[in-house]
Amino acid sequence: MGSVSLKIGDGTARFKRATLCSSATNILMILAVITTNLFALYSFTASPKVNHTELLLHQAHKNFSLISEQVTLILREIDQSQKKLAQIEKELLGYDSVDLSRPNIAIELKLFLKRHQLPLGKDSKTGITEMVSSVGHSCEKYMEFLSQYMEYKAFGACPDDWSMAQKLILRGCEPLPRRRCFSKTISKVGVYPFPSSLWKPVANKTVNWSGLGCKNFGCLKGKKLSRECITCFDLVNGYENHRFIKAKSKNDFLIDDVLVLAMGSGGIRIGLDLGGGSGSFAATMAERNVTVVTTTLNIDAPFSEFIAARGLFPLYLSLDHRFPFYDNVFDLVRASSTLDVGGEKPEKLEFLMFDIDRVLRAGGLFWLDNFYCADEEKKKALTRLIERFGYKKLKWVVGEKVDALGSGKTEVVLSAVLQKPVRV
């Protein structure tokens, strides 16, 4: 290739001619520089686009995570709300009123209270999904007694424990569970045909005397069990057979007079007697072709069996129990001092009065028979309560009479016949 001379002044500079290898090296270096610059240019121009995309993807993923968390929280709240609503429904229907996980619970009680799924699922009309057996809410407080009541041999004879059942009822454990056992049968010897059964003496064999102090009617005839039952088991020599047809005082209203008062509103066909003793009011009404249901409990005497032996209808329940009758069905409701269930709490009496009003038809009569007023304030409170119902006063008598229980003192009593108004 030779060399190139370049004369500068007095000297001559000589450069060797470049070889083929050095030329290739230069070309490679130039290409490397160009490539480096191109990558640098690409990195400056393209890398921001890549970072922006990754940032958008990262932000989108973050937003999706937040949305997913919110949806999860919402679904969780919905699930909890559904569980709370289901729990409220169960409480309202009484599903969880009795804790069956307690120890020493009778197997029969567990079987009776066990929930049963409806065969076709949720009922569209009532909204319930299970059938639950009725049992009083206060039974939870007396699980030991309740379990003892349900401790028996299935399909065998029931224990002779009616008195325990009554104790549970009086403690608010009402209704009681049903039982799969046969109750003690009582002889029908001495039961007379109707209507002669109304005033015939009831035979001792027709009554289960267990759990009672007296073991025969001879023992009961001389007892004053309550204001509604003064020798009320003596149907021959006592006052019962003419109690509602002959008056002893101005507060004693006669049945025939009350029937006359009801003529203008269609008369009296069926009635309800609250705590009617041995059933003499129902018997006197039966002689006048009026059917009367008598509420009763066997407090110190076999009231229910005695009333049934007379051919009358006893209804075994406490006055704290809602009457098991539909609205507006009775032409007459009679009550005496048994109406005094409130004690010091007037709301108790109000609840009872509203239930009386519910089962009494419009134009029907409410007969308050010799209600004992312990003091003037009690009489005023009862009067104010009655006036709030807007009943028409057909008869209203406040008077004094000798204490029926034998204290010798006079007591203030209120007797009234009131007519239920037509409410629109």
Side-chain angles (χ1 to χ4, degrees):
M1 298 271 304
S3 59
V4 178
S5 300
L6 179 62
K7 188 177 180 179
I8 303 175
D10 294 337
T12 302
R14 295 182 183 274
F15 296 92
K16 290 183 178 181
R17 191 178 298 273
T19 60
L20 180 62
C21 180
S22 62
S23 298
T25 301
N26 292 335
I27 292 171
L28 287 173
M29 290 180 66
I30 292 171
L31 288 174
V33 171
I34 293 171
T35 303
T36 302
N37 291 334
L38 288 173
F39 273 106
L41 178 64
Y42 178 78
S43 64
F44 280 114
T45 57
S47 60
K49 293 182 180 179
V50 172
N51 291 338
H52 183 66
T53 303
E54 290 178 353
L55 182 62
L56 290 176
L57 290 173
H58 177 71
Q59 188 64 34
H61 178 72
K62 185 177 181 181
N63 292 339
F64 178 79
S65 298
L66 290 174
I67 293 172
S68 178
E69 290 178 3
Q70 292 296 323
V71 170
T72 302
L73 289 174
I74 292 171
L75 292 175
R76 189 180 301 165
E77 288 291 332
I78 292 174
D79 182 62
Q80 290 178 353
S81 298
Q82 288 177 337
K83 289 181 179 179
K84 288 180 180 179
L85 289 173
Q87 182 64 28
I88 292 172
E89 178 187 14
K90 289 180 180 181
E91 290 176 356
L92 291 174
L93 294 175
Y95 287 171
D96 300 323
S97 59
V98 178
D99 181 10
L100 298 180
S101 64
R102 294 182 180 184
N104 303 322
I105 298 297
I107 296 176
E108 285 292 296
L109 180 60
K110 291 182 178 180
L111 289 174
F112 176 78
L113 295 178
K114 184 179 179 180
R115 306 171 192 174
H116 300 281
Q117 296 287 338
L118 295 181
L120 300 179
K122 185 176 181 179
D123 183 76
S124 60
K125 293 183 179 180
T126 62
I128 63 173
T129 58
E130 300 172 314
M131 291 298 293
V132 58
S133 300
S134 297
V135 64
H137 69 281
S138 292
C139 291
E140 174 71 12
K141 299 179 181 179
Y142 307 100
M143 287 299 295
E144 182 180 351
F145 287 159
L146 183 63
S147 187
Q148 185 177 346
Y149 170 76
M150 293 297 289
E151 191 70 49
Y152 59 89
K153 183 179 180 181
F155 297 96
C158 293
D160 190 6
D161 58 356
W162 71 265
S163 57
M164 174 182 290
Q166 183 166 273
K167 289 177 182 178
L168 286 168
I169 290 174
L170 291 173
R171 286 169 170 78
C173 184
E174 186 181 29
L176 285 171
R178 289 172 173 164
R179 300 201 294 188
R180 298 187 300 164
C181 58
F182 297 102
S183 61
K184 182 179 180 180
T185 57
I186 303 297
S187 173
K188 290 190 67 176
V189 175
V191 175
Y192 300 95
F194 190 85
S196 60
S197 60
L198 293 174
W199 301 105
K200 289 282 188 178
V202 176
N204 292 323
K205 293 182 179 180
T206 62
V207 172
N208 177 18
W209 294 96
S210 65
L212 297 172
C214 286
K215 302 301 181 183
N216 55 67
F217 287 113
C219 172
L220 287 174
K221 285 180 181 179
K223 286 188 175 293
K224 299 178 180 180
L225 299 173
S226 66
R227 285 185 169 82
E228 193 68 19
C229 184
I230 309 297
T231 65
C232 65
F233 290 97
D234 188 354
L235 301 182
V236 178
N237 302 314
Y239 177 57
E240 290 294 294
N241 55 2
H242 55 269
R243 178 179 172 188
F244 297 99
I245 58 176
K246 291 183 180 180
K248 284 186 175 180
S249 69
K250 64 178 182 179
N251 285 82
D252 295 334
F253 298 164
L254 305 183
I255 281 182
D256 292 333
D257 294 339
V258 175
L259 291 175
V260 170
L261 293 174
M263 292 301 293
S265 58
I268 296 175
R269 303 155 300 163
I270 53 176
L272 176 64
D273 189 15
L274 303 180
S278 61
S280 293
F281 176 75
T284 308
M285 294 293 276
E287 293 177 321
R288 289 153 177 78
N289 298 318
V290 177
T291 300
V292 172
V293 177
T294 305
T295 67
T296 182
L297 285 170
N298 284 8
I299 304 296
D300 298 326
F303 289 100
S304 297
E305 292 146 306
F306 190 85
I307 292 172
R310 300 178 73 177
L312 303 169
F313 189 169
L315 183 63
Y316 189 72
L317 85 168
S318 70
L319 290 184
D320 278 335
H321 192 293
R322 183 181 186 270
F323 297 132
F325 303 111
Y326 195 65
D327 302 356
N328 305 289
V329 294
F330 289 107
D331 304 308
L332 170 71
V333 176
R334 174 188 169 271
S336 59
S337 291
T338 54
L339 189 70
D340 187 17
V341 297
E344 298 301 322
K345 297 181 179 180
E347 295 83 5
K348 293 285 288 183
L349 180 57
E350 290 175 4
F351 277 114
L352 177 56
M353 282 294 299
F354 272 97
D355 210 27
I356 291 173
D357 181 83
R358 178 183 64 83
V359 299
L360 186 62
R361 69 172 175 84
L365 302 184
F366 173 47
W367 181 353
L368 189 59
D369 188 7
N370 284 282
F371 178 83
Y372 168 60
C373 302
D375 49 48
E376 185 66 19
E377 182 57 35
K378 194 154 194 172
K379 184 189 72 174
K380 289 181 179 179
L382 178 62
T383 302
R384 287 194 298 267
L385 176 60
I386 291 174
E387 289 175 347
R388 289 175 62 185
F389 283 83
Y391 281 33
K392 182 180 179 180
K393 296 179 180 178
L394 302 181
K395 290 178 71 73
W396 184 278
V397 177
V398 177
E400 292 185 352
K401 61 187 304 184
V402 178
D403 180 12
L405 294 176
S407 67
K409 299 179 180 179
T410 58
E411 55 187 18
V412 177
V413 293
L414 168 63
S415 293
V417 177
L418 312 165
Q419 187 173 43
K420 179 180 176 179
V422 177
R423 304 190 186 101
V424 180

